[in-house]
Amino acid sequence: MTAATTDHVFDVNESNFEAEVLQASLTTPILVDFWAEWCGPCKTLGPMLEKLAAEFNGAFRMAKIDVDKNQQLAAMFGIRSIPTVVLVKDGQIADGFAGALPEGQLREFLLRHVQPGEGGAAVEEAPVVVETPEEAINRIQQQIAAEPDQPELKLDLALALMQAGQADAAEAELTSLPANLATDARAIRLRSQLDLARALVGAPSLGDLQQRIQADGADWEARDLLGVRLLLEGDAPAGLDQFLAILERARDWNDGAARKRLLAAFNTLDDADMVGRYRRRMASLLF
């Protein structure tokens, strides 16, 4: 999958990484594609990224890093599975993802950070096609059937199953992962999501939990379950506040469950600023 160097796509190694990626990102975002010749999903993802690099016409440049030839760079970025893509801006990691996403999601990812034509002539923007969880499951299952020797696809499938609400199926795929993928950041995140989801099996409704807390502010079980429900239903700050309330007033309740809930929640959240704020608040209560 070695690609010819173009104005927008180029190969990077350990000798030119600092100049071509870190320094260059101070003026132009650099999309770093970690890949290898033996990686089946890389052969799908790479050409799509190269196509988008051409379409965006200089808004970003794409650096390709062969992990087999540049193991120190892969280790520096903590790469545990490939393909992995990282966007570097102003010398810092701005965003990233692992796995072979469909083109619509790749375009959506890029549009969060750059606009086509920022570094050259404007190009017509193709419509963003959002893949449903069910479509993702079908696509990944087809990839697994075609390339059964690519274990990283099983992690992609587990994540898609969880997104579709199929927690038991996601857990089964997660359990079957080889040891090197079991410690992947995405696997750790999924495991935390599953732990939180399990807590709600047979749990009261949101309204019932709120009524219990209104009747008894020290109903720690209700606060705990309310925090989990709020977190999984999209109101992360409100959920985290419930865990902090337990930590502040009943730190040792249920063998320190509030601290464990907070740590699990941090693993599931993408908002680094919010996680940082709540980590500091948790630390102030613990130390």
Side-chain angles (χ1 to χ4, degrees):
M1 200 185 73
T2 302
T5 299
T6 69
D7 288 342
H8 307 310
V9 181
F10 58 99
D11 292 321
V12 168
N13 54 44
E14 290 161 6
S15 65
N16 66 358
F17 173 79
E18 183 172 357
E20 296 293 336
V21 175
L22 296 182
Q23 292 297 323
S25 73
L26 299 177
T27 55
T28 303
I30 306 295
L31 192 73
V32 185
D33 175 25
F34 290 91
W35 68 283
E37 289 283 359
W38 49 264
C39 169
C42 297
K43 297 174 184 177
T44 301
L45 180 66
M48 287 193 292
L49 291 174
E50 293 170 24
K51 173 188 173 186
L52 289 169
E55 284 187 16
F56 276 63
N57 201 22
F60 72 91
R61 298 186 72 213
M62 177 181 168
K64 300 175 65 63
I65 297 181
D66 184 332
V67 296
D68 288 338
K69 297 178 180 178
N70 299 279
Q71 295 182 12
Q72 289 185 355
L73 288 179
M76 184 177 76
F77 278 84
I79 303 302
R80 298 182 182 276
S81 65
I82 55 172
T84 291
V85 174
V86 174
L87 184 68
V88 181
K89 296 177 69 175
D90 300 320
Q92 302 290 330
I93 296 175
D95 205 346
F97 62 87
L101 302 180
E103 185 173 332
Q105 290 188 25
L106 294 176
R107 194 184 303 276
E108 188 176 12
F109 169 84
L110 290 167
L111 288 171
R112 291 203 297 266
H113 302 282
V114 297
Q115 293 300 313
E118 284 184 357
V123 294
E124 183 177 352
E125 183 178 318
V128 174
V129 179
V130 179
E131 186 180 42
T132 67
E134 291 73 19
E135 289 171 340
I137 291 169
N138 183 58
R139 170 179 58 81
I140 298 166
Q141 286 175 334
Q142 291 180 10
Q143 287 181 297
I144 291 173
E147 301 176 278
D149 59 340
Q150 299 298 327
E152 62 269 18
L153 290 174
K154 292 179 69 66
L155 177 54
D156 293 339
L157 179 59
L159 294 167
L161 288 165
M162 186 64 187
Q163 190 175 6
Q166 301 181 37
D168 290 342
E171 184 172 15
E173 294 294 340
L174 184 64
T175 302
S176 69
L177 290 176
N180 65 312
L181 286 179
T183 56
D184 184 285
R186 295 179 301 154
I188 294 171
R189 174 175 179 166
L190 177 57
R191 197 169 289 110
S192 294
Q193 289 175 327
L194 286 167
D195 288 343
L196 291 168
R198 284 193 206 97
L200 292 183
V201 175
S205 68
L206 185 70
D208 288 343
L209 291 169
Q210 290 171 330
Q211 288 180 3
R212 282 176 55 177
I213 294 170
Q214 287 177 353
D216 179 6
D219 186 338
W220 308 127
E221 180 185 52
R223 281 196 182 276
D224 176 58
L225 292 174
L226 179 61
V228 175
R229 194 170 285 286
L230 289 168
L231 182 71
L232 294 182
E233 292 180 4
D235 193 351
L240 295 174
D241 284 339
Q242 295 298 327
F243 303 141
L244 285 176
I246 300 172
L247 191 66
E248 181 177 14
R249 298 165 58 191
R251 177 188 304 187
D252 297 327
W253 173 77
N254 198 18
D255 196 25
R259 181 185 64 83
K260 296 173 184 176
R261 290 282 197 236
L262 284 164
L263 294 175
F266 295 156
N267 283 333
T268 70
L269 297 172
D270 290 322
D271 190 331
D273 289 339
M274 180 172 65
V275 170
R277 291 197 305 273
Y278 277 90
R279 280 191 186 279
R280 290 190 292 272
R281 290 177 62 185
M282 181 180 76
S284 70
L285 293 173
L286 290 174
F287 305 107

